Each structure stands twice: as C-alpha cells, then as structure tokens.
Amino acid sequence: MDNRPIGIFDSGVGGLSAAAELMRQAPNESFVYFGDTLRAPYGDRSPAEIRAFSGRNARFLRSHDIKALIVACNTSTANALAELAAANADIPVVGTVL
C-alpha cells in the first residue's frame, strides 16, 4: 500500500470543496493542499504566468513526496494540465473543471 499523500492545489481556497469531497470518498488517504492566495485570482493572468505558477505549485507539492496531483483550479486545468502531466509523468495528474 502506498501511504504517500495526494497533492491538491488551487489558486485560492475554492479547491477546498474538492479536497473535502476527496477526503469524504477516500477517508484512508492523506492529502496535502496548497492554495495560492498570494497570486489569486489566476483568471486574469497570461497563459504563460498560469503555467509558471502551476509548475511551481506542483513542484512544492512534489517536495512532499505525493503519489498523485490534483489540479483543483479551473484556470490551471485549462492552461497547464498537459504540461503538468508531462512534467510529472511518474504520477497521476488529474484536472478539474467545475
């Protein structure tokens, strides 16, 4: 059994609802959540900025030895999911568009 946590990030606190649902559905899992409230909102940023922020967020979560990455930010999912998946090909990377 892989006891490493699942990493989740959002550009703020909206992803906490996704995290809460994940905790409800997977009570035996542990999670690391990162909310980038410093640079929120991402919606008015350029695609290049969004990809850069998302990459930094993923690297931070990877420093916690995560086994999967959930992108709970719609803007990051739309602009950076493919790049995140390619850069983190050794773990599942899942985006959410709510």
Side-chain angles (χ1 to χ4, degrees):
M1 183 168 155
D2 191 342
N3 292 323
R4 295 179 298 162
I6 296 170
I8 305 168
F9 82 82
D10 187 21
S11 61
V13 297
L16 287 173
S17 58
E21 182 61 20
L22 285 165
M23 286 186 272
R24 186 184 73 75
Q25 291 194 26
N28 296 323
E29 293 289 351
S30 59
F31 298 90
V32 177
Y33 182 86
F34 178 74
D36 188 6
T37 57
L38 178 66
R39 295 179 289 236
Y42 283 11
D44 56 353
R45 305 289 188 143
S46 72
E49 280 183 299
I50 294 163
R51 287 190 298 274
F53 296 162
S54 299
R56 286 184 204 129
N57 298 345
R59 284 189 296 280
F60 169 75
L61 290 169
R62 291 301 302 256
S63 75
H64 290 275
D65 193 28
I66 59 172
K67 64 181 171 187
L69 176 64
I70 297 176
V71 182
C73 174
N74 295 339
T75 305
S76 289
T77 296
N79 289 277
L81 188 63
E83 186 174 292
L84 290 171
N88 297 280
D90 60 318
I91 62 171
V93 178
V94 179
T96 57
V97 176
L98 305 172

